[in-house]
Amino acid sequence: MSVERTASDVLVDRLISWGVDTVFGLPGDGINGFVDALHKRHDDLRYVHVRHEEVAAMAAVGYAKFTGRLGVCFATSGPGAAHLLNGLLDARTEQAPLLAISGMTYHDLVGTAYLQDVNTDYLFNDVALYNQRIMGPAHVINVVDYAVRTALTQRGPAHLTFPIDYQAAPADSGTRFRRNVEGHTSTAHRPPIRVPRREDLEEAARVFAGRSRVVILAGAGARGAGAELEAAAERLAAPIVKAQLGKDCVPDDSPYTTGPIGLVGSRPSEEALEECDALLIVGSTMPYIEYYPSPGQAVCVQIDDRPERLGLRHPVDVPLAGDARATLAALLPLLPRNEDRAFLARAQEGMREWWALMEERGTRTDLPMKPQVPAWALNDALAPDAIVCGDSGTVTTWAARQIKIRRGQLFSFSGTNCSMAAGLPYAIGAQTAYPGRQVVVFTGDGSLTMQLGDFLTAVQHNLPIKVVVIRNDTLGLIKWEQMVFLGNPEYGVDLAPMDFVKFAEACGARGMRIEDPRTCGDQMREALSWDGPVIVECVVDRHEPPLPAKVKSHQVRKLFDALRQGTPNRNRIALQMVKDLLDESSFEAAPGPEIPGPIARAASEIVEKLRDRTEE
């Protein structure tokens, strides 16, 4: 540890002045000057040592998403810096304030094919909102302040690359140009809270006059505005449809919400958007354009604090550029009260049917166990203030539909970037920020094995993360996309079986395997009650399809083509889907046709016998 104050010390001290209390990273010779500065201030700045630089960046994203504060990560030069890229892409698309610090080769050897000689600042140009190379000790504070302010204000990633020799250079060395007046920049910052003009709010309110079938579509930008959303829903008699990144903007048991939309959505959400005559979009640019009302069907008001996003997915009659909570608060007194409650009542009845169907799916006793069962069991095992980190894959469907986020709980995942393997890193960031709260990862075996080594990070830092992994030994979402979207047989999606319980135990942690749906609830509650990090391995049916809320004819045709062309286990898959549709045929919310109960039960028994005999 060096005694002399260095340029890296200046950088670390400035981060602390900005209120940074945690950094995630992996040391290396290209960043060791910065690591030495972290060592000096270890009482004031926590360093979480990860196994992979992408996890450092993703953990910083998770930290930022769940706290609203700046996430900070670092990596060495060359390949270490390159590993950060996906995390910065996640921060950019997920709108998370992040600062990444990477090493760079010696400033006077750049461009000479020296060891790990990469123009790291060029490398990050397409993902970072602010991106600079530190040009000497006198440059540090200027760029750190601007980088942090940019990340916080624009909710995205900033990147600084730090040549090795400058990192360890004395803080007062080098030259300072006379116009670079020492002390001219500061850490003063206030998050901008924009509210539209009164006349714009009045115009928006008039749009809803005489409209009886209003829908509110809420996304990540509406998080923190739950009370205002529900007040607007009550006034407009409007169901609240939630993009998955807005899953926790109002609780799943709110009487106003119809839950998720899109391929992972609910039938009441889909029907509400199909039938509405007015739409209020709050903090969402949900990308699945085909699920919005048809252009010309409904009048639309959109609230977003980024004006460039207004009208991005759907034609807007009145765009309101402003903070969701503040804008809703200002708009509420102006909104006309919709006395016709029929549309909302119909959606609420649809949700009663939907939750009955979700409970049916989540409590089935079939073997192999259905993936919906552990997702449903998780509800009773979650603490009132639990933080749930989802992941990409078929697990997105089960999390969207089966997991009921209650008031006081938080949820997020890599929703727009859709990066696999974000769940565990997000949880590392969340648990670091909230050591006293229950943090649960809901992931798949494909995602988890991508970054499984960083379960050791949880062990090393005593982070009591609970990892619930749905194990089906296949890349389930890719498998179904190949068949349903392209009509191709599944290919290249099989995964070698992994014993996650043994892995957890090898790491010095605990593991629980759940295979029997009849004991799933008790086992889930027990595993989540254990101290320390835990992996809960849920072995499930690999052929269970993530059915959409409404099965479309073109999806059926594509699936038939895929089966006909030789998809492995095609008879087993076909029979399983038929049995699922028969078992659910008595539910109005089911995706298939209604079949009289006795006929459906008898047919289901026949199909089950055929399915069990099928070996292919």
Side-chain angles (χ1 to χ4, degrees):
M1 182 172 68
S2 62
V3 177
E4 187 176 31
R5 183 170 164 79
T6 66
S8 290
D9 293 324
V10 174
L11 195 160
V12 169
D13 290 349
R14 201 59 168 183
L15 292 178
I16 293 170
S17 296
W18 272 101
V20 174
D21 60 11
T22 305
V23 293
F24 304 88
L26 189 65
D29 59 353
I31 197 66
N32 274 339
F34 176 75
V35 174
D36 182 53
L38 291 177
H39 183 194
K40 294 176 187 175
R41 298 299 303 271
H42 69 272
D43 289 336
D44 305 302
L45 190 58
R46 184 179 185 183
Y47 161 42
V48 178
H49 173 202
V50 301
R51 265 47 178 196
H52 193 289
E53 293 90 351
E54 182 180 334
V55 172
M58 285 289 196
V61 173
Y63 178 98
K65 274 193 166 191
F66 289 112
T67 65
R69 296 163 56 192
L70 182 73
V72 180
C73 60
F74 72 87
T76 188
S77 53
H83 283 164
L84 292 174
L85 275 167
N86 189 47
L88 268 75
L89 177 61
D90 204 65
R92 180 156 184 157
T93 56
E94 302 292 307
Q95 300 184 61
L98 178 142
L99 174 64
I101 300 162
S102 69
M104 194 176 189
T105 196
Y106 303 90
H107 87 278
D108 52 358
L109 288 174
V110 171
T112 65
Y114 190 72
L115 185 72
Q116 296 185 340
D117 181 14
V118 177
N119 285 317
T120 320
D121 43 352
Y122 299 173
L123 184 67
F124 283 80
N125 259 341
D126 283 344
V127 295
L129 300 174
Y130 180 89
N131 182 32
Q132 286 295 328
R133 181 189 308 185
I134 294 175
M135 303 298 285
H139 194 214
V140 171
I141 287 181
N142 300 346
V143 294
V144 169
D145 285 356
Y146 204 175
V148 172
R149 195 173 288 113
T150 301
L152 290 171
T153 302
Q154 298 186 30
R155 295 196 309 270
H159 169 249
L160 298 175
T161 191
F162 207 171
I164 296 171
D165 49 330
Y166 287 154
Q167 291 175 39
D172 57 358
S173 65
T175 59
R176 176 183 289 274
F177 188 64
R178 59 184 174 79
R179 288 181 178 169
N180 182 15
V181 177
E182 191 168 1
H184 76 270
T185 181
S186 73
T187 59
H189 178 263
R190 294 290 183 275
I193 299 178
R194 176 186 288 177
V195 180
R197 301 176 305 169
R198 172 79 181 193
E199 51 265 43
D200 294 334
L201 294 168
E202 291 173 346
E203 183 183 357
R206 284 194 293 270
V207 164
F208 296 104
R211 303 286 174 170
S212 61
R213 302 189 307 279
V214 185
V215 170
I216 298 172
L217 173 61
R223 297 176 80 201
E228 291 77 10
L229 281 172
E230 290 185 307
E234 167 60 27
R235 196 160 187 86
L236 295 170
I240 301 172
V241 173
K242 297 187 295 183
Q244 185 64 351
L245 279 171
K247 183 173 175 65
D248 60 3
C249 66
V250 294
D252 281 317
D253 57 4
S254 167
Y256 299 102
T257 188
T258 53
I261 189 62
L263 286 170
V264 302
S266 75
R267 189 179 184 112
S269 287
E270 195 167 333
E271 290 175 342
L273 287 171
E274 289 173 349
E275 299 168 10
C276 70
D277 61 7
L279 178 65
L280 173 59
I281 303 174
V282 183
S284 177
T285 51
M286 189 268 294
Y288 304 109
I289 300 170
E290 67 272 25
Y291 286 92
Y292 286 82
S294 301
Q297 170 192 323
V299 294
C300 180
V301 172
Q302 183 177 358
I303 300 170
D304 204 291
D305 65 355
R306 293 192 168 180
E308 70 274 14
R309 290 175 175 255
L310 296 167
L312 181 63
R313 309 292 188 208
H314 187 272
V316 173
D317 294 275
V318 181
L320 296 176
D323 172 81
R325 185 178 183 183
T327 301
L328 280 173
L331 180 63
L332 274 168
L334 306 175
L335 289 174
R337 180 171 176 80
N338 179 11
E339 299 296 347
D340 185 348
R341 320 301 279 185
F343 186 67
L344 175 60
R346 202 158 58 246
Q348 291 170 331
E349 177 58 31
M351 280 308 290
R352 283 188 283 273
E353 281 286 335
W354 179 258
W355 281 122
L357 177 60
M358 294 305 101
E359 183 176 9
E360 164 70 14
R361 291 177 178 176
T363 56
R364 289 177 62 166
T365 56
D366 309 52
L367 289 173
M369 183 169 65
K370 299 298 183 184
Q372 297 95 323
V373 173
W376 187 260
L378 192 57
N379 291 313
D380 288 338
L382 291 176
D385 64 347
I387 299 173
V388 181
C389 301
D391 226 322
S392 294
T394 51
V395 291
T396 308
T397 303
W398 321 135
R401 294 175 174 173
Q402 257 71 33
I403 297 178
K404 281 188 174 183
I405 292 297
R406 303 189 296 273
R407 211 173 299 274
Q409 295 175 339
L410 297 175
F411 175 89
S412 197
F413 76 123
S414 179
T416 305
N417 193 33
C418 290
S419 176
M420 291 180 67
L424 176 59
Y426 273 24
I428 291 170
Q431 193 74 83
T432 303
Y434 299 106
R437 293 179 70 167
Q438 182 192 61
V439 177
V440 177
V441 184
F442 187 75
T443 186
D445 48 1
S447 286
L448 184 59
T449 50
M450 276 188 171
Q451 302 289 9
L452 190 55
D454 267 281
F455 182 71
L456 278 164
T457 298
V459 175
Q460 179 171 331
H461 291 279
N462 300 312
L463 302 174
I465 295 166
K466 307 300 185 283
V467 181
V468 178
V469 54
I470 303 301
R471 180 188 150 190
N472 57 9
D473 300 335
T474 186
L475 295 173
L477 183 61
I478 308 305
K479 163 183 171 173
W480 291 103
E481 285 177 341
Q482 288 175 348
M483 293 191 289
V484 176
F485 291 166
L486 298 176
N488 295 336
E490 65 171 270
Y491 180 74
V493 294
D494 288 344
L495 297 172
M498 170 75 187
D499 190 327
F500 291 98
V501 173
K502 285 184 178 178
F503 177 83
E505 292 169 350
C507 292
R510 300 182 72 176
M512 168 81 80
R513 178 174 295 108
I514 302 177
E515 298 178 274
D516 188 342
R518 291 166 296 187
T519 61
C520 180
D522 291 339
Q523 286 184 278
M524 186 72 73
R525 286 189 292 274
E526 180 185 356
L528 266 61
S529 72
W530 290 343
D531 293 333
V534 175
I535 295 180
V536 184
E537 177 188 336
C538 304
V539 183
V540 303
D541 185 353
R542 65 182 292 155
H543 301 306
E544 178 67 9
L547 290 172
K550 289 185 177 182
V551 177
K552 307 294 195 301
S553 59
H554 68 87
Q555 295 169 332
V556 175
R557 286 196 301 271
K558 292 288 188 183
L559 178 60
F560 178 78
D561 289 344
L563 297 178
R564 186 177 57 188
Q565 292 179 50
T567 285
N569 304 294
R570 57 188 180 274
N571 292 339
R572 173 72 168 76
I573 292 170
L575 288 168
Q576 180 62 55
M577 294 185 70
V578 170
K579 184 178 185 303
D580 286 349
L581 292 172
L582 288 168
D583 287 343
E584 296 176 0
S585 64
S586 63
F587 292 87
E588 288 186 17
E594 186 173 349
I595 302 171
I599 296 175
R601 285 192 294 273
S604 179
E605 289 175 5
I606 294 170
V607 170
E608 184 170 13
K609 289 176 183 177
L610 290 172
R611 184 198 63 180
D612 292 342
R613 290 179 198 160
T614 301
E615 293 286 341
E616 190 170 80

